Amino acid sequence: MDTQMHWTEINLRSADGAIVLDLRGHLTLSDEEQRLMLRIGELAAQGHQRFLLNLAQVSYIDSTGIGEIVGAYTRVRRQGGQLAISNAGPRVREVLQATSLDTVLQLFEREEDALRSLQPGGQHG
């Protein structure tokens, strides 16, 4: 147990007009976790409004990680943007459901569906 990763790697890419943040590791208590909210804040300040958190490589999340996701979501929404989550594994999805975040956040099993949900559609920018 002492060898568990307690950090998160964040890789950015663009897809269908959205910024995809591919997260890898554990979303747990550490200074590194604050990078997620800071990174999204920087991107939103640059004018980006559609974000997708790809959690395919996140194997564990605790209350601090949940707080980071909620903080990122709140910041994006406050600036008129959207945030969705894709590819949450069973353990991560269980935590999101236990905290009822699955009723607030848009959760998708497939990245394609999540990206489609972030398209402008009837609501522009």
Side-chain angles (χ1 to χ4, degrees), residues 22-113:
D22 294 311
L23 306 180
R24 175 186 293 261
H26 290 194
L27 284 172
T28 59
L29 178 60
S30 87
D31 292 336
E32 297 294 312
E33 267 29 272
Q34 295 178 3
R35 290 185 314 163
L36 175 62
M37 207 160 61
L38 290 173
R39 193 74 160 139
I40 286 181
E42 291 168 358
L43 292 164
Q46 295 169 11
H48 298 284
Q49 292 198 313
R50 295 191 299 272
F51 299 93
L52 173 60
L53 300 182
N54 176 8
L55 303 184
Q57 298 298 314
V58 173
S59 55
Y60 179 79
I61 188 169
D62 70 3
S63 60
T64 303
I66 292 291
E68 275 297 301
I69 290 174
V70 169
Y73 172 79
T74 302
R75 188 168 202 161
V76 167
R77 294 294 294 178
R78 209 177 303 140
Q79 295 184 337
Q82 297 174 281
L83 183 138
I85 295 176
S86 70
N87 300 313
R91 291 168 69 182
V92 172
R93 184 182 310 275
E94 186 177 300
V95 172
L96 294 173
Q97 290 171 339
T99 56
S100 298
L101 283 178
D102 61 325
T103 64
V104 177
L105 301 171
Q106 297 181 61
L107 300 180
F108 297 90
E109 294 203 18
R110 297 173 355 124
E111 183 172 306
E112 299 79 20
D113 296 334

